[in-house]
């Protein structure tokens, strides 16, 4: 079954601390994975995708096929990073996204 | 950047009535639009995919006669919830994708409350 799992509903860290938001997937083919972010009272927006191998706002995510994971990391969290983060899998490369449950990141001063 | 709007942002209706939600791509042509549903504190669930000029493709378990989708132009898709019931109350979100990109741009969502 195709599935995206984000085990943590809420992750609370202090400013300057490292943060890792976990994402595991189940997919039989070659996965295309994304991280989306939703800031308070704003719409969902793309943060990064695994094929780009880029760093956005200090966040990076590496696809680990052996562990079927795509964890989102940032070495030093900032208060403005507080938001809801969703990991998503592109099903069949047709644009149909399967979203994880989301993790709320709270960065405290 | 690409902007997607939804109208209305919220709507309250009586049980048994129909409600239409619009999704517009403001500055690009959306060959594909997606409709999602999000329950409180839950994830987004894909309901259907619509391609301009063709019939929508519905996900398993989504009633196509209840959730009518029309993608009549490259900038507009509509979702009509027919004979709405309280269990249809939810947050409905659309996304749009152009022909030259696989990036989806999301609308702000529409909160539907059926009394």
């Amino acid at each position: 079954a195709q599935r995206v799992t984000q085990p943590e509903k809420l992750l609370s860290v202090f400013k300057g601390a490292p943060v890792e938001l976990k994402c595991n997937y189940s997919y039989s083919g070659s996965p295309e994975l994304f991280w989306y972010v939703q800031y308070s009272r704003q719409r969902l927006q793309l943060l990064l995708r695994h094929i780009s191998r880029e760093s956005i706002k200090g966040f990076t995510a590496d696809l680990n096929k052996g562990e079927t994971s795509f964890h989102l990391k940032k070495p030093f969290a900032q208060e403005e990073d507080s938001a809801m983060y969703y990991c998503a899998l592109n099903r069949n490369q047709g644009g149909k996204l399967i979203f994880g449950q989301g993790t709320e990141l709270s960065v405290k001063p | 950047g690409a902007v997607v709007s939804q109208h209305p942002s919220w709507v309250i209706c009586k049980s048994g009535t129909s409600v239409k939600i619009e999704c517009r791509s403001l500055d690009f042509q959306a060959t594909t639009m997606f409709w999602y549903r999000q329950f409180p504190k839950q994830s987004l669930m894909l309901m259907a995919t619509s391609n301009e000029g063709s019939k929508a493709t519905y996900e398993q378990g989504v009633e196509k006669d209840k959730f009518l989708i029309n993608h009549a132009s490259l900038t507009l898709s509509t979702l009509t919830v027919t004979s709405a019931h309280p269990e249809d109350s939810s947050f409905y979100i659309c996304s749009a994708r152009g022909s030259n990109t696989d990036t989806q741009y999301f609308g702000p969502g529409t909160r539907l409350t059926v009394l």
Side-chain angles (χ1 to χ4, degrees):
Chain A
Q2 300 160 348
R3 189 168 53 244
V4 176
T5 304
Q6 293 178 249
E8 303 140 329
K9 277 192 174 182
L10 173 65
L11 186 61
S12 185
V13 301
F14 286 102
K15 176 183 173 182
V19 63
E20 181 180 67
L21 290 85
K22 291 183 168 52
C23 171
N24 288 89
Y25 66 91
S26 173
Y27 187 66
S28 57
S30 184
E32 187 177 359
L33 288 150
F34 305 82
W35 276 100
Y36 282 85
V37 61
Q38 188 171 28
Y39 299 103
S40 179
R41 300 185 185 279
Q42 294 188 29
R43 67 190 67 198
L44 206 63
Q45 56 185 287
L46 178 66
L47 180 62
L48 53 80
R49 61 179 69 195
H50 90 270
I51 58 174
S52 300
R53 300 186 64 81
E54 57 197 345
S55 173
I56 303 294
K57 299 184 179 182
F59 284 98
T60 59
D62 291 317
L63 177 62
N64 186 323
K65 291 186 178 180
E67 297 183 356
T68 60
S69 69
F70 187 55
H71 302 328
L72 183 68
K73 301 177 184 179
K74 185 169 182 176
F76 307 103
Q78 303 299 315
E79 289 181 67
E80 55 265 29
D81 295 329
S82 296
M84 197 74 184
Y85 291 81
Y86 293 94
C87 182
L89 170 71
N90 188 358
R91 196 180 81 196
N92 298 326
Q93 277 73 46
K96 297 185 179 184
L97 297 175
I98 299 173
F99 282 87
Q101 292 295 96
T103 297
E104 182 181 354
L105 174 64
S106 174
V107 182
K108 303 185 179 209
Chain B
V3 179
V4 175
S5 70
Q6 281 184 243
H7 178 80
S9 55
W10 60 270
V11 57
I12 301 173
C13 70
K14 292 182 178 180
S15 185
T17 61
S18 295
V19 174
K20 180 185 284 188
I21 302 169
E22 293 185 350
C23 177
R24 292 181 185 272
S25 57
L26 298 185
D27 50 4
F28 69 102
Q29 293 184 327
T31 51
T32 306
M33 287 184 170
F34 303 88
W35 286 95
Y36 297 85
R37 185 173 180 176
Q38 186 177 33
F39 290 104
K41 297 189 182 297
Q42 294 190 30
S43 187
L44 285 79
M45 298 293 293
L46 179 65
M47 298 175 65
T49 303
S50 75
N51 292 295
E52 186 268 336
S54 60
K55 289 185 178 180
T57 305
Y58 291 81
E59 295 300 303
Q60 192 173 9
V62 178
E63 297 177 61
K64 62 180 181 181
D65 294 330
K66 180 165 188 63
F67 299 99
L68 300 179
I69 291 172
N70 184 283
H71 192 163
S73 78
L74 284 172
T75 59
L76 174 64
S77 176
T78 60
L79 168 68
T80 301
V81 183
T82 63
S83 187
H85 287 94
E87 57 265 30
D88 298 324
S89 298
S90 190
F91 197 55
Y92 292 88
I93 303 170
C94 74
S95 70
R97 186 182 69 178
S99 60
N100 297 324
T101 177
D102 59 357
T103 298
Q104 291 185 35
Y105 298 95
F106 284 80
T110 297
R111 171 80 56 197
L112 170 63
T113 302
V114 184
L115 302 177

